[in-house]
Amino acid sequence: MNALTCAALGTGFTFGMTALGAAVVFLISPQRRAPSARAQRVCLGFAAGVMLAATIWSLLIPAMESAQAQGLAPGLPAAGGIALGTAFLLLLGAWMDRLRQSGRTPAPLRQSSRETALLITAVTLHNIPEGMAVGLSFALAAQAGDPASLLSASSLALGIGIQNLPEGAAISLPLLQEGASRARAFAIGALTAVVEPLFGVFTVFLVSFAQPAMPWLLAFAAGAMLLVSVRELIPSACCADRQNAGTLSVLLGFVVMMLLDVLLG
């Protein structure tokens, strides 16, 4: 198979794993009832923990390794990308607030809280460089013509795909707790990863341009995810959390994602 076909299959797998994680909403009791404040804190806390771990092991460490491989100072793209990602999401949050005040919020986000809408945005941004990394690895493997390189690219796709399982759940569960239907929560959770096959295949055509930009793209997504976790999700999960349910869920999400990232490389 050529690089384009391999990249499409690899990123299609990672997208499918996100959809599988989002499908957890169909396993929850079908009885419709108002979500408790504790359940909301647990869902948001788990999402925050997943995002914090993904920021470190899926984004910042690969960004610094990629920069070092290009002969750059590892801290420069990491710090610069975080600053850009943070600034982007701050501007996006201000824009969304103005839309909500004017009643012109986009339909897919109309029923979502501010923190969930920003969570969806941040995870989607995070999936772009992941898809590009898979596409790039298959493109480089095709250029080398080495079976070992193809195996390495396939292992990367497998690792990212398995890591996407809790990310899909981290999107769909808060949406369900806010009153969205199971189908809507699942669809939005799955669609956050549709950018992976799109950008993965696109990267195959732009391999010579994509590789130098990877450290900045990874750190950009890290900055966005850090901002959402620290400013929106953790305060919502941990404030007024007398039973520590939200606090413990942050730690649980962090540990789950950390183990997946470390064990899968």
Side-chain angles (χ1 to χ4, degrees), residues 87-107:
F88 172 80
L89 221 63
L90 283 173
L91 292 173
L92 180 64
W95 177 69
M96 288 173 59
D97 287 340
R98 285 198 296 270
L99 287 181
R100 287 181 185 277
Q101 291 170 4
S102 63
R104 293 180 295 169
T105 306

Side-chain angles (χ1 to χ4, degrees), residues 20 43 57 78 82 103 147 202 239 249:
L20 184 62
C43 289
W57 280 279
I82 287 175
F202 185 62
C239 288
S249 69

Side-chain angles (χ1 to χ4, degrees), residues 69-224:
Q70 296 177 29
L72 301 173
L76 177 60
I82 287 175
L84 292 172
T86 301
F88 172 80
L89 221 63
L90 283 173
L91 292 173
L92 180 64
W95 177 69
M96 288 173 59
D97 287 340
R98 285 198 296 270
L99 287 181
R100 287 181 185 277
Q101 291 170 4
S102 63
R104 293 180 295 169
T105 306
L109 302 178
R110 197 164 292 152
Q111 298 176 358
S112 305
S113 67
R114 185 179 189 274
E115 58 262 25
T116 303
L118 289 174
L119 170 62
I120 293 168
T121 304
V123 171
T124 302
L125 289 173
H126 154 259
N127 285 330
I128 291 174
E130 283 194 347
M132 293 180 71
V134 173
L136 180 63
S137 64
F138 278 112
L140 295 175
Q143 287 181 358
D146 181 9
S149 299
L150 183 60
L151 179 61
S152 177
S154 301
S155 299
L156 175 64
L158 176 63
I160 289 177
I162 295 176
Q163 292 165 20
N164 282 356
L165 276 169
E167 291 177 6
I171 293 292
S172 62
L173 286 174
L175 285 168
L176 184 68
Q177 288 298 324
E178 289 181 357
S181 67
R182 282 163 175 72
R184 181 174 181 270
F186 164 75
I188 294 177
L191 287 175
T192 59
V194 76
V195 294
E196 290 193 359
L198 292 176
F199 280 85
V201 170
F202 185 62
T203 301
V204 174
F205 294 104
L206 298 176
V207 61
S208 59
F209 299 99
Q211 194 168 10
M214 284 305 296
W216 293 89
L217 290 170
L218 289 165
F220 179 91

